């Protein structure tokens, strides 16, 4: 009887069951971590672009909400939409690859209806983030909620910028975007804090690209690039007429140029008197010079006005001074020539730095203007400007290039006209 009783109360049985339980928990946790690595992706380093979801804070939708196979199919479907959008715009397979990597790094290629606002993440200005969609684009600067949640629309914004004109902020405005390091290129569009963030998505994005059958070696089709000749959006101007929004504002290369007399501007720093009136991106309000607050044209016009002895209360130079309307930045050189003012390839302190339409890498159809703050002893130039998203946050913001550039990188220099 004692033997039978000891067999019923085996002292090792509880320990064996506990060990099995611990092993099962460990396997379950390890499985969840593997799923997170395979399907993961995060913008944890970006205040403005970090997506978030239950289970994977600041990263991805919890794969436990649906089977991994369904999750992967959604990624493949979105990758195909990105590729088709690039094809429709006449962009190369490289554009598709870059955009898919960007979306993987932002939302794990899932069209999220939220960002990281529920985690207390703030924009640099202290406002809550409003990121949504494949690319975690914020509203209203990238569009309405419906637009940023539309994968085709959001992808077009990533490629061409929020205005869909290929003039500001989008991938096509980034210098050497097809050959530069991908994560750094994406960072110039997405503006997240860590430029190297997207490198972590190269492998997972590459797997989705392969499974989707996307040809990343596809050449561009320029016959489909109608957006390259499109005008910037029209907005009402004084008098009820319509004119293009002034100023495609991005740096670029050009031809010509030479030495120049070294020196510095007598009005260093941002002297623009209406900085507090500059609106958010894609909002255009008429300034006293008949340009738009915070645009590159408004700032350059102010600097010319200032150099001519004008003030905010006594404006000498404006959009119609000299009898010829200046309009977009790209139109300024023709207006200068029509007015009989000096146009040169030689830089001069306190002159307008001018780029024509598509005058260099990143320059769109509207052209660009800036201000020559300094000519260095080596003959290089330092430029200040407004609305250049490469050197300031997207929108109507001031920036000054701390690195001097070769004068040949500017298409022409427009000298300040003599006062009448």
């Amino acid at each position: 009887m004692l033997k039978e009783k000891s067999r019923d109360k085996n002292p090792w049985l509880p320990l064996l069951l506990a060990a099995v339980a611990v092993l099962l928990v460990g396997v379950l946790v390890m499985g969840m971590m593997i799923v997170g690595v395979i399907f993961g992706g995060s913008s944890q380093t970006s205040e403005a672009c970090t997506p978030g979801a239950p289970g994977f804070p600041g990263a991805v939708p919890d794969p436990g909400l649906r089977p991994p196979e369904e999750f992967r199919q959604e990624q493949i479907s979105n990758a195909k939409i990105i590729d088709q959008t690039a094809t429709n715009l006449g962009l190369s397979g490289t554009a598709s690859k870059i955009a898919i990597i960007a979306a993987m790094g932002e939302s794990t290629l899932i069209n999220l209806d939220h960002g990281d606002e529920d985690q207390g993440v703030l924009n640099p200005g202290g406002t809550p983030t409003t990121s949504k969609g494949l690319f975690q684009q914020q509203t209203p600067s990238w569009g309405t909620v419906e637009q940023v949640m539309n994968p085709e629309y959001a992808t077009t914004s990533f490629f061409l910028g929020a205005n869909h004109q290929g003039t500001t902020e989008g991938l096509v405005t980034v210098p050497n975007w097809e050959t530069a390091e991908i994560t750094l290129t994406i960072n110039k569009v997405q503006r997240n804090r860590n430029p190297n963030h997207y490198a972590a998505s190269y492998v997972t994005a590459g797997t989705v690209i392969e499974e989707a059958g996307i040809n990343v070696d596809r050449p561009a089709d320029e016959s489909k690039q109608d957006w390259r000749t499109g005008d910037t959006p029209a907005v009402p101007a004084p008098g009820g007429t319509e004119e293009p929004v002034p100023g495609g504002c991005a740096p670029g290369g050009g031809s010509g140029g030479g030495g120049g007399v070294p020196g510095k501007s007598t009005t260093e720093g941002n002297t623009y008197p209406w900085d507090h009136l500059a609106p958010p991106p894609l909002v255009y309000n008429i300034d006293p010079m008949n340009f738009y607050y915070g645009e590159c044209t408004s700032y350059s016009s102010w600097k010319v006005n200032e150099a001519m002895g004008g003030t905010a209360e006594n404006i000498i130079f404006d959009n119609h001074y000299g009898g010829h309307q200046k309009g977009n930045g790209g139109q300024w050189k023709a207006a200068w020539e029509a007015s009989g003012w000096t146009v040169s390839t030689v830089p001069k302190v306190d002159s307008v730095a001018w780029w024509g339409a598509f005058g260099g890498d990143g320059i769109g159809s509207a052209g660009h203007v800036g201000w020559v703050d300094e000519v260095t002893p080596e003959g290089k130039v330092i430029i200040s400007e407004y609305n250049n998203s490469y050197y300031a946050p997207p929108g109507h913001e001031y920036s000054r290039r701390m690195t001097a550039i070769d004068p040949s990188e500017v298409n022409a220099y427009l000298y300040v006209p003599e006062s009448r």
Side-chain angles (χ1 to χ4, degrees), residues 86-315:
T87 301
N88 294 343
L89 294 172
L91 295 172
S92 64
T94 300
S96 297
K97 178 180 179 180
I98 293 172
I100 291 169
I101 290 173
M104 180 66 78
E106 292 291 351
S107 66
T108 65
L109 268 172
I110 300 299
N111 196 29
L112 300 176
D113 63 357
H114 60 277
D116 46 22
E117 62 276 2
D118 60 339
Q119 299 176 45
V121 178
L122 301 176
N123 289 311
T127 59
T129 59
T130 58
S131 308
K132 293 177 177 62
L134 285 176
F135 296 93
Q136 288 293 282
Q137 294 160 339
Q138 295 203 60
T139 58
S141 57
W142 285 93
T144 66
V145 172
E146 291 74 17
Q147 287 170 333
V148 300
M149 284 295 297
N150 181 308
E152 183 177 357
Y153 187 96
T155 301
T156 302
S157 296
F158 177 81
F159 288 139
L160 305 186
N163 61 11
H164 287 196
Q165 296 294 323
T167 57
T168 57
E169 300 180 7
L171 176 67
V172 298
T173 70
V174 178
N176 305 313
W177 64 267
E178 289 191 278
T179 57
E181 177 62 39
I182 291 177
T183 185
L184 303 182
T185 297
I186 297 172
N187 173 255
K188 287 182 169 61
V189 180
Q190 297 296 95
R191 298 289 169 179
N192 60 312
R193 178 174 294 179
N194 179 11
N196 297 311
H197 164 72
Y198 301 95
S201 298
Y202 288 178
V203 174
T204 50
T207 301
V208 172
I209 288 171
E210 183 178 356
E211 292 181 11
I214 293 172
N215 179 17
V216 295
D217 297 319
R218 180 188 72 250
D221 184 352
E222 294 186 2
S223 68
K224 295 181 179 180
Q225 295 182 3
D226 296 339
W227 47 269
R228 285 198 180 277
T229 56
D231 290 328
T232 49
V235 298
T241 58
E242 297 282 321
E243 66 178 9
V245 173
C249 296
S255 59
V261 179
K264 294 184 179 182
S265 173
T266 57
T267 56
E268 290 188 41
N270 184 11
T271 61
Y272 186 64
W274 304 296
D275 185 72
H276 63 291
L277 298 176
L282 304 182
V283 177
Y284 303 97
N285 299 323
I286 303 296
D287 71 16
M289 299 177 297
N290 206 42
F291 290 102
Y292 297 99
Y293 286 117
E295 284 284 304
C296 62
T297 47
S298 179
Y299 174 70
S300 295
S301 182
W302 162 254
K303 297 300 287 186
V304 173
N305 177 71
E306 187 177 38
M308 294 176 68
T311 65
E313 293 75 28
N314 179 30
I315 293 172

Side-chain angles (χ1 to χ4, degrees), residues 258-265 346-350 372-382:
V261 179
K264 294 184 179 182
S265 173
V346 179
K348 181 180 180 180
V349 172
D350 288 339
V372 179
D373 278 344
E374 180 178 348
V375 177
T376 70
E378 297 76 28
K380 295 187 176 183
V381 295
I382 294 179

